[in-house]
Amino acid sequence: MLALHVAAGPDAGKRFLLPDTEPQLIGRSTEALGSTDPSVSRRHAELTPSAGRWYLRDLHSTHGTWLNGQRIEARAELRAGDVIRCGATEFHVQAVDPAAPAPAADADPERLQAIGETVATISHSVKNILQGLRSGADAVELALRRGDLEMARDGWPIVARNLDRVSWLVMNMLAYSKDRPLEIEETDLGAVVREACELMRSTAERRRVTLDAQVAADMPPAPVDANAVHQVLLNLLANAVEAAPDRGGRVTVQCALDAAKNVFRVEVSDNGPGVPAAHRTRLFEAFASTKGQRGTGLGLAVARALVERHGGTLAHADASPHGTVMTAEFPADHGDPDAERTRGPMPSSAPSTKWDPPVP
């Protein structure tokens, strides 16, 4: 059996087994092997098994497919030791024994310590959420036994608030633990902003925080992954609503195209106390929360990662006279959105012409 080992590129270190009876795609689409390299096309190259051999074919990709330093123009046979180059990603073709046990993971003490700290942080967050749910459920149960509707109304917001926290925790953990390839499509960014605001509106109303969405008229479609941008907005809105003061808090979302910079800009601002100076250097660091027991520190880390995977930026600034402004900018690339195209630049360095000797 053959396998592809990613030797260079954003996914370096990954390995993909090639089943003897199933054709495989190299690319960024959901049915492909799952590259996160922006210079790789959505459907870049095809790997096809036939009579015990594997063949490689380019699928009219933007930057071409290279085999052992030569750009292929027709179907080429693969052998162990070959090197495939797609965009900035380099695959080494390896012969593997499917019956052999998988190599043991490196027991790096620092890595194990990081895993332990991560598990402890998440466990602590789950414990706090469960305690909040238990408290709210007890209040609602007591109210139902007494037939006191007013008491039930007081207890239900506690349950609803912690259900929101469960949802955000799960979504952020999924995004943090697995880099899903982006599905870039021409998207109505204003509609994504309005939908995210509507989902957060009930949370804002429970805290008596005003939530206002301001979307520029006649905004052209944006080349983004709608689901990823939606998650970015929910994380930014959740932080803003929580930071805004109860009874008088205000959160504003502004969305527009900056033609001069050729970016779509989304700003989420609140009138809360702002971010303390001591916490700003770790603001986007995973598991570094400024909320104490109420936060996991994943929201902003996931949001920035998703924005940067679009080639954009996420930045923090102080609002006047107080509060916070989070600004996400997405490139307004109006290139061909066809699935065969890629928005990443061609790697600056030429493909490597060195490869491993064939494995006997």
Side-chain angles (χ1 to χ4, degrees), residues 283-306:
L283 189 61
F284 296 101
E285 186 177 322
F287 306 112
S289 176
T290 62
K291 302 176 187 177
Q293 294 187 348
R294 294 177 292 112
T296 62
L298 276 178
L300 289 180
V302 167
R304 170 172 270 189
L306 290 174

Side-chain angles (χ1 to χ4, degrees), residues 140-152:
V140 172
E141 183 180 9
L142 179 60
L144 291 175
R145 284 205 304 265
R146 294 181 177 180
D148 190 337
L149 185 58
E150 203 59 41
M151 180 184 290

Side-chain angles (χ1 to χ4, degrees), residues 165-239:
R165 292 173 65 191
V166 168
S167 176
W168 295 329
L169 175 62
V170 171
M171 293 302 295
N172 284 325
M173 281 300 300
L174 288 173
Y176 181 76
S177 62
K178 182 178 181 181
D179 283 338
R180 177 182 64 85
L182 295 179
E183 295 287 341
I184 303 295
E185 296 179 348
E186 299 297 319
T187 302
D188 183 348
L189 189 56
V192 177
V193 169
R194 284 187 284 266
E195 181 182 349
C197 288
E198 283 305 310
L199 283 176
M200 284 299 302
R201 199 167 299 283
S202 60
T203 301
E205 289 174 351
R206 285 197 298 270
R207 296 177 61 90
R208 300 188 184 181
V209 172
T210 302
L211 179 55
D212 181 30
Q214 301 173 5
V215 178
D218 301 324
M219 197 164 53
V224 296
D225 183 318
N227 290 328
V229 173
H230 191 263
Q231 184 165 357
V232 169
L233 290 170
L234 286 180
N235 285 350
L236 298 182
L237 286 168
N239 279 358

Side-chain angles (χ1 to χ4, degrees), residues 239-256:
N239 279 358
V241 168
E242 192 157 330
D246 293 348
R247 295 179 172 83
R250 185 176 185 84
V251 173
T252 303
V253 185
Q254 295 178 307
C255 178

